[in-house]
């Protein structure tokens, strides 16, 4: 474990000490923890006592009580998320400008997973394609997971059609190239996950990264707005190439410039209008009810200040709006469901819990510091070449072909969920990207990895729901007993009833539904047409990574089951997305035969 992830490296949580006649945060290390909440650490009992007047608001918060109930239940009213049409919906969303998944809504994956694939025989030229990347968490996890013995060359192609995401990814990756690993780690973490950042951090980016953008803009200022312009920045054996239309190059510098007149207080107010608006209290309460009591307090803190730090760490230096998140002065660019925890595996996150073990965002902070430092160290020692595009996924193969990246080129292709029928669909996805996978002669482990978020939801009809109610309820009663009040009139709106209904998906059998989906989409036929075949066993990630295994179900205690419910879908996603984010299917395809035209 890196030195900075150790719990004793946190500084004291008392921000009200007097040093040289000035009130400032206590700078001493914090080996002690508040045993009332396990959310905050102190250097001494004296500092803990001095801070109690402020800390007791969190330590003794009603949200910390296991008996806490949502406001609609205490007020004996119908919750706001119940429509006039009937049944309980999952969480909706506030429309504030563009709706984006900047932090992702499924955990990151290591698309290489060399231990289960090439092992020590990774190719000398490892080529990865992220065709609809969203943020770069899969890139980070994949490169961080490469063995330290690997000394080959990595070529990583990253594409997303959303320019906000591409600009964000460029700044994050350039930070890994132009700053030393320790400084880059801190910059990447807060540019990625904090609404406010230290002014000095932004100045560092404006000193080293902004001039790179301005130089390109100056050179191409007389060119057509629609022409593609390419620029490669090299740092020793590493490089990053960005391909954009001239009009988007002109916008790129603004992502390192705070909008005129936007103060830190205004920025937080804009965020809170989405994350904690009064009219959304029932939605927030419903999300809180599925979480352990201390996590509710941590979530409220993060949704209030938007700064990803351990709970008790000082925030005074975070005084500048993060311009990668604030391109305007009138909206927060994410839905109210956005939560950094959604993009990473919770079991990995809690493994790095600080001494204040209930501080879930402190755990996430430690985890991100560790994996980002691993990533930056890999980037600093390997020959890594990033290529970033901002095009529709269907146009990507043609553009790459013009740059020498054509058939049988990539060791891994990850296409996110563009294979869902609501996007380009399985046939087009496999037909478009299948030919780009390396053939079996060059890498028998080469894989096309597809994520299906919506398939099961599309297949799960009213008849399926009726058939599943009894078996799912029977499984759940062992862990979530039905309270008699849940069966009374209006009982379906009780928090326990809603939690029971949501938890049904933890025990649902989705295999038949997905096989039905595959049959309807003619997967065997479209795979053969692209020269691919489904793997008999997934070797990158298991098919249903977030589904509760049936064997495990019989061995679980009540506490363990409730923890799994918590580690499943969190946040306030829309009813259509909630189950889809919980039970996603990863389908791996490998080359069976190469069909050349």
């Amino acid at each position: 474990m890196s030195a900075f992830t150790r719990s004793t490296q946190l500084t004291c949580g008392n921000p009200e000490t007097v040093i040289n006649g000035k009130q400032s945060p206590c700078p001493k290390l914090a080996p002690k923890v508040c045993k009332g909440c396990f959310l905050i650490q102190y250097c001494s009992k004296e500092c803990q006592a001095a801070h109690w007047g402020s800390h007791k608001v969190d330590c003794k918060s009603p949200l910390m009580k296991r008996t806490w109930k949502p406001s609609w239940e205490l007020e004996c009213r119908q919750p706001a998320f119940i429509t006039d049409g009937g049944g309980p919906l999952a969480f909706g969303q506030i429309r504030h400008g563009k709706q984006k998944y900047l932090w992702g809504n499924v955990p990151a994956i290591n698309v290489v997973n060399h231990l289960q694939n090439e092992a020590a025989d990774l190719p000398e030229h490892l080529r990865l394609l992220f065709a609809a990347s969203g943020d770069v968490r899969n890139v980070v996890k994949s490169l961080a997971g490469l063995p330290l013995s690997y000394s080959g060359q990595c070529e990583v192609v990253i594409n997303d059609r959303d320019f906000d995401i591409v600009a964000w990814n460029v700044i994050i990756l350039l930070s890994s190239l132009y700053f030393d690993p320790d400084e880059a780690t801190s910059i990447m973490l807060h540019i990625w996950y904090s609404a406010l950042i230290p002014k000095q951090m932004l100045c560092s980016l404006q000193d080293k990264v902004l001039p790179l953008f301005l130089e390109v803009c100056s050179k191409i200022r007389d060119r057509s707005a629609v022409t593609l312009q390419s620029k490669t920045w090299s740092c020793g054996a590493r490089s990053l190439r960005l391909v954009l239309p001239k009009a988007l190059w002109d916008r790129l510098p603004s992502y390192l410039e705070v909008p005129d007149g936007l103060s830190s207080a205004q920025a937080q107010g804009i965020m809170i209008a989405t994350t904690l608006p009064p009219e959304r209290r029932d939605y927030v309460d419903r999300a809180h009810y599925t979480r352990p009591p201390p996590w509710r307090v941590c979530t409220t803190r993060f949704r209030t200040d938007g700064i990803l730090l351990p709970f008790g760490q000082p925030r005074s230096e975070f005084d500048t709006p993060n311009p990668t998140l604030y391109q305007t002065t009138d909206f927060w660019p994410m839905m109210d469901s956005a939560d950094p925890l959604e993009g990473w595996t919770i079991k990995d996150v809690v493994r790095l819990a600080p001494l204040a073990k209930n501080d879930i965002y402190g755990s996430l902070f430690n985890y991100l510091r560790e994996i980002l430092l691993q990533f930056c160290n890999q980037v600093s020692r390997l020959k890594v070449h990033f290529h970033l595009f901002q095009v529709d996924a269907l146009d990507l193969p043609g553009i790459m072909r013009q740059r020498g990246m054509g058939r049988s080129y990539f060791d891994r292709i990850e296409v996110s969920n563009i294979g869902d029928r609501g996007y380009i669909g399985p046939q087009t996805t496999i037909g478009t990207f299948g030919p780009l996978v390396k053939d079996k002669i060059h890498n028998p482990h080469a894989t096309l990895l597809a994520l299906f978020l919506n398939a099961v939801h599309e297949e799960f009809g009213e008849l399926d729901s009726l058939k599943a109610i009894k078996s799912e309820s029977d499984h759940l009663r062992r862990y979530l007993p039905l309270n008699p009040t849940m069966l009374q009139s209006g009982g379906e709106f009780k928090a326990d009833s809603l939690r029971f209904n949501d938890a049904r998906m933890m025990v649902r059998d989705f295999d038949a539904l997905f096989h039905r989906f595959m049959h309807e989409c003619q997967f065997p036929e479209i795979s053969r047409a692209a020269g691919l075949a489904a793997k008999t066993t997934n070797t990158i990630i298991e098919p249903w990574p977030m589904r509760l295994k049936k064997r495990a179900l019989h061995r679980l205690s009540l506490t363990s089951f409730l923890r799994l419910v918590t580690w499943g879908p969190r946040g306030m996603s829309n009813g259509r997305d909630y189950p889809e984010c919980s039970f996603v299917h990863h389908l791996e395809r490998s080359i069976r035969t190469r069909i050349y035209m």
Side-chain angles (χ1 to χ4, degrees), residues 473-482 499-500 503 507 548 550-562 565:
S473 298
D474 288 345
H475 277 304
L476 282 180
R477 283 194 186 102
R478 175 180 173 185
Y479 304 100
L480 300 175
L482 286 172
R499 182 173 65 175
F500 187 93
V507 296
L548 182 62
K550 288 185 178 179
R551 290 182 186 175
L553 183 61
H554 299 295
R555 301 193 299 267
L556 285 176
S557 65
L558 173 59
T559 301
S560 298
F561 181 80
L562 291 176
V565 171

Side-chain angles (χ1 to χ4, degrees), residues 112-147:
V112 179
N113 194 6
H114 70 283
L115 292 176
Q116 301 299 318
N117 293 278
E118 293 91 346
D121 297 322
L122 280 167
E124 181 64 23
H125 288 71
L126 179 65
R127 293 162 176 162
L128 311 177
L129 169 60
F130 300 86
S133 67
D135 67 3
V136 289
R137 67 190 188 283
N138 289 345
V139 177
V140 166
K141 190 164 186 177
S142 299
L143 292 191
L146 291 175

Side-chain angles (χ1 to χ4, degrees), residues 152-220:
Q153 178 173 295
C154 298
E155 188 172 7
V156 184
V157 178
I158 306 165
N159 176 67
D160 199 280
R161 66 181 181 181
D162 186 325
F163 179 61
D164 285 342
I165 291 175
V166 175
W168 201 38
N169 289 343
V170 168
I171 292 168
I172 287 170
L173 293 175
L174 283 175
S175 298
S176 74
L177 295 179
Y178 280 86
F179 295 89
D180 70 76
D182 284 324
E183 188 175 4
T185 293
S186 182
I187 291 172
M188 293 168 70
L189 191 156
H190 291 298
I191 285 293
W192 203 335
Y193 290 114
S194 291
L196 302 179
I197 58 176
K199 183 177 181 179
Q200 183 54 50
M201 184 177 290
L202 180 57
C203 289
S204 296
L205 286 166
Q206 290 174 335
D207 287 343
K208 288 192 176 182
V209 176
L210 181 57
L212 304 177
F213 300 160
L214 294 174
E215 181 185 17
V216 176
C217 293
S218 176
K219 289 181 177 180
I220 65 173

Side-chain angles (χ1 to χ4, degrees), residues 149-378:
S149 59
Y150 181 67
S151 58
Q153 178 173 295
C154 298
E155 188 172 7
V156 184
V157 178
I158 306 165
N159 176 67
D160 199 280
R161 66 181 181 181
D162 186 325
F163 179 61
D164 285 342
I165 291 175
V166 175
W168 201 38
N169 289 343
V170 168
I171 292 168
I172 287 170
L173 293 175
L174 283 175
S175 298
S176 74
L177 295 179
Y178 280 86
F179 295 89
D180 70 76
D182 284 324
E183 188 175 4
T185 293
S186 182
I187 291 172
M188 293 168 70
L189 191 156
H190 291 298
I191 285 293
W192 203 335
Y193 290 114
S194 291
L196 302 179
I197 58 176
K199 183 177 181 179
Q200 183 54 50
M201 184 177 290
L202 180 57
C203 289
S204 296
L205 286 166
Q206 290 174 335
D207 287 343
K208 288 192 176 182
V209 176
L210 181 57
L212 304 177
F213 300 160
L214 294 174
E215 181 185 17
V216 176
C217 293
S218 176
K219 289 181 177 180
I220 65 173
R221 62 177 176 268
D222 296 326
R223 298 182 187 177
S224 168
V226 297
T227 57
L228 285 179
Q229 306 293 331
S230 174
K231 172 63 180 178
T232 300
W233 295 288
S234 297
C235 295
R238 304 159 296 152
S239 69
L240 185 150
R241 178 169 64 171
L242 176 61
V243 181
L244 291 174
K246 189 262 183 184
L248 295 184
W249 277 107
D250 290 340
R251 287 178 52 193
L252 193 55
S254 69
Y255 288 82
L256 288 176
E257 298 168 340
V258 177
D260 290 341
L262 182 64
S263 68
S264 58
Q266 289 172 322
Q268 284 186 318
I270 291 168
M271 181 194 70
I272 291 171
T274 292
T275 58
L276 289 173
E279 67 272 19
R280 299 285 290 178
R281 182 178 178 185
D282 288 354
Y283 296 82
V284 174
D285 281 359
R286 186 178 182 184
H288 278 337
Y289 197 67
T290 65
R291 302 183 178 197
W295 289 21
R296 301 168 191 158
V297 176
C298 294
T299 301
T300 302
R301 176 73 178 269
F302 181 73
R303 287 177 173 272
T304 301
D305 66 27
I307 301 171
L308 185 56
L309 282 174
F311 193 86
Q313 293 302 282
R315 284 147 166 81
S316 56
E317 67 172 1
F318 288 76
D319 56 0
T320 303
N322 180 349
T324 68
L325 296 177
Y326 291 100
Q327 280 295 291
T328 72
T329 60
D330 57 2
F331 70 85
W332 175 246
M334 285 178 270
M335 294 181 289
D336 56 356
S337 61
D339 189 332
L341 289 167
E342 297 286 351
W344 304 93
T345 303
I346 290 294
K347 286 185 179 180
D348 293 338
V349 169
V350 298
R351 175 177 58 85
L352 290 179
L355 186 62
K357 61 184 180 181
N358 287 335
D359 179 9
I360 185 59
Y361 289 95
S363 301
L364 179 62
F365 176 85
N366 284 348
Y367 174 75
L368 290 172
R369 285 292 301 262
E370 179 178 84
I371 196 168
L372 288 173
L373 182 61
Q374 290 172 352
F375 171 79
C376 291
N377 283 332
Q378 295 280 41

